[in-house]
């Protein structure tokens, strides 16, 4: 706190904090704060200045590697390389962005570094087995995955809050060529269906003898966070909306507009994402308009009420009818 108070208002003193002598002190601060779960305002203000305003996040994040890990700045993560201090730093930065969205100008280099973390982690989580719970989960690699997504969610929303652009600031268009949307859709497709759909599919499996095999969400809210990033990406960006259609992502996104026990506010984020996907895009609207109800599947909650779902053969709309 004394260090922050002394440096506050002095760019010269702040500059010394990410120099050869100051950076080890910052590392010690993060290590200690992570160990005791400390997150007071002065710590957020200090890390906001260092990581976001002065663009030193990659340097600090890299120095939090465990002893013996590479320090050449090349991301080459393995499951045993991540440390809790890195997850803690990402969690604090995620909080800062969420609280100050629209106030901070985010650099392109910061966005690309976080996206690089996400890509590396996404390729390593297959070997992770953890109990599904809220962030932080206690698994370094899962926590880093989750906080990377929440940071990207807010970065992709940054363009829509009326912030004027400056040279070097981040834009979703600068992330797209690197494969952001492709990765998000890939991660979403790999997941098992939402709870509501899964129950209906289970009934179909019981009747037809077919099964499905997919991955569970790595933490509560994982699917919601994926949909949130996609929804912010397609907001008033026709070329990104078009890419969603070309990658057959429209129906996939429509399937997320349901209640999911493992993902709070899943339905709300799904509706927001679909709204953004269709706004001002006649081609995407036509794809949805051409969809037809193929059939109906009753789920236990509906059956227990003495109801079943039927499809009107004339209108092709679904309706509830009494079992009697």
């Amino acid at each position: 706190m004394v260090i922050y108070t002394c440096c506050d208002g002095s760019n010269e003193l702040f500059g010394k904090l990410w120099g050869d002598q100051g950076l080890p002190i910052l590392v010690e601060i993060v290590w200690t704060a992570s160990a005791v779960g400390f997150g007071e305002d002065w710590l957020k203000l200090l890390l906001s200045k260092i990581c976001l305003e002065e663009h030193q996040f990659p340097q600090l994040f890299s120095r939090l590697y465990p002893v013996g890990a590479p320090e050449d700045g090349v991301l080459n993560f393995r499951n045993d390389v991540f440390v809790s201090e890195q997850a803690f730093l990402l969690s604090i930065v995620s909080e800062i962005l969420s609280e100050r969205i629209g106030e901070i100008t985010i650099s392109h280099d910061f966005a690309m570094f976080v996206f690089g973390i996400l890509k590396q982690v996404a390729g390593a989580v297959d070997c992770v087995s953890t109990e599904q719970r809220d962030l932080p989960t206690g698994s370094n690699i899962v926590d880093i995955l989750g906080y990377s997504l929440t940071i990207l969610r807010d970065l992709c929303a940054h363009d829509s809050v009326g912030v004027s652009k400056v040279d070097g600031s981040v834009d979703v268009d600068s992330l797209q060529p690197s494969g952001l949307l492709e990765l998000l859709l890939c991660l979403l497709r790999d997941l098992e269906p939402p709870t509501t759909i899964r129950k209906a599919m289970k009934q179909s499996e019981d009747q037809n003898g077919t099964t499905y095999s997919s991955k569970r969400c790595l933490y509560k809210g994982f699917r919601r966070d994926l949909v949130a990033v996609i929804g912010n990406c397609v907001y008033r960006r026709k070329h990104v909306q078009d890419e969603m259609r070309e990658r057959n992502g429209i129906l996939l996104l429509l399937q997320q507009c349901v209640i999911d026990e493992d993902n709070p506010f899943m339905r709300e984020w799904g509706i927001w994402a679909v709204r953004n996907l269709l706004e001002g895009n006649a081609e995407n609207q036509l794809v949805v308009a051409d969809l037809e109800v193929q059939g109906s599947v009753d789920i236990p909650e509906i059956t227990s009420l003495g109801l079943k779902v039927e499809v009107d053969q004339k209108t092709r709309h679904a309706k509830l009818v009494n079992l009697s």
Side-chain angles (χ1 to χ4, degrees):
M1 184 185 297
V2 173
I3 290 174
Y4 170 73
T5 304
C6 290
C7 294
D8 188 26
S10 173
N11 290 330
E12 180 182 356
L13 289 178
F14 264 120
K16 293 182 178 181
L17 277 180
W18 58 80
D20 293 338
Q21 293 182 321
L23 191 57
I25 297 175
L26 284 176
V27 171
E28 290 284 354
I29 290 174
V30 175
W31 279 347
T32 304
S34 175
V36 300
F38 190 76
E40 290 197 3
D41 287 344
W42 69 264
L43 178 64
K44 289 185 185 180
L45 291 169
L46 176 65
L47 292 178
S48 176
K49 178 69 174 180
I50 298 296
C51 295
L52 300 176
E53 296 178 38
E54 300 298 337
H55 317 308
Q56 299 300 315
F57 175 78
Q59 188 178 3
L60 179 56
F61 186 88
S62 299
R63 286 293 293 268
L64 292 172
Y65 280 154
V67 176
E71 297 185 1
D72 56 5
V74 178
L75 294 177
N76 185 23
F77 301 137
R78 303 186 309 277
N79 190 30
D80 58 350
V81 166
F82 289 105
V83 292
S84 59
E85 290 82 5
Q86 291 170 317
F88 175 78
L89 178 61
L90 279 171
S91 72
I92 294 294
V93 171
S94 177
E95 285 184 32
I96 294 169
L97 282 174
S98 180
E99 293 169 358
R100 300 185 61 193
I101 187 170
E103 298 178 18
I104 304 175
T105 299
I106 308 302
S107 72
H108 172 73
D109 290 342
F110 171 79
M112 290 303 299
F113 188 82
V114 173
F115 181 44
I117 293 173
L118 177 64
K119 287 193 291 186
Q120 293 293 335
V121 175
V125 290
D126 288 342
C127 60
V128 175
S129 178
T130 183
E131 180 183 353
Q132 190 185 49
R133 53 186 181 179
D134 295 322
L135 292 173
T137 65
S139 167
N140 295 335
I141 191 170
V142 172
D143 289 346
I144 287 176
L145 172 72
Y147 292 127
S148 297
L149 278 174
T150 57
I151 288 173
L152 288 170
R153 176 199 65 200
D154 291 336
L155 289 181
C156 292
H158 198 260
D159 292 346
S160 62
V161 293
V163 180
S164 59
K165 291 290 183 297
V166 298
D167 292 342
S169 63
V170 68
D171 187 285
V172 173
D173 294 342
S174 64
L175 292 171
Q176 282 305 106
S178 300
L180 174 60
L181 188 60
E182 180 182 6
L183 176 61
L184 295 171
L185 288 175
C186 184
L187 291 172
L188 191 58
R189 284 195 177 97
D190 283 346
L191 295 178
E192 63 184 3
T195 307
T196 304
I197 297 177
R198 196 161 65 242
K199 290 178 179 178
M201 291 179 67
K202 186 178 187 306
Q203 183 189 44
S204 178
E205 291 169 12
D206 295 340
Q207 293 174 350
N208 303 324
T210 57
T211 60
Y212 67 92
S213 176
S214 297
K215 302 174 185 176
R216 291 191 65 202
C217 287
L218 291 164
Y219 62 87
K220 284 185 178 293
F222 179 47
R223 180 196 307 279
R224 176 203 61 214
D225 291 342
L226 289 171
V227 173
V229 181
I230 293 173
N232 288 343
C233 279
V234 298
Y235 181 76
R236 295 184 178 176
R237 299 182 182 91
K238 188 174 186 303
H239 61 288
V240 185
Q241 297 171 342
D242 291 340
E243 185 178 348
M244 278 287 292
R245 182 180 68 254
E246 293 161 2
R247 294 187 180 278
N248 298 318
I250 294 180
L251 183 57
L252 177 66
L253 205 56
L254 287 170
Q255 292 170 346
Q256 314 308 316
C257 299
V258 294
I259 295 174
D260 189 350
E261 297 170 0
D262 300 328
N263 291 271
F265 303 107
M266 176 71 238
R267 181 174 176 271
E268 289 77 8
W269 274 110
I271 293 172
W272 160 256
V274 170
R275 177 261 186 205
N276 292 345
L277 180 65
L278 301 182
E279 183 186 25
N281 194 306
E283 295 89 342
N284 287 357
Q285 294 172 15
L286 183 61
V287 170
V288 175
D290 286 343
L291 293 174
E292 293 185 359
V293 177
Q294 300 299 312
S296 65
V297 178
D298 294 311
I299 58 176
E301 288 81 357
I302 294 179
T303 304
S304 66
L305 297 174
L307 302 171
K308 66 177 180 178
V309 180
E310 286 187 355
V311 178
D312 189 295
Q313 297 302 314
K314 292 182 179 179
T315 65
R316 302 305 297 169
H317 291 164
K319 61 181 181 179
L320 288 173
V321 298
N322 290 322
L323 283 173
S324 58

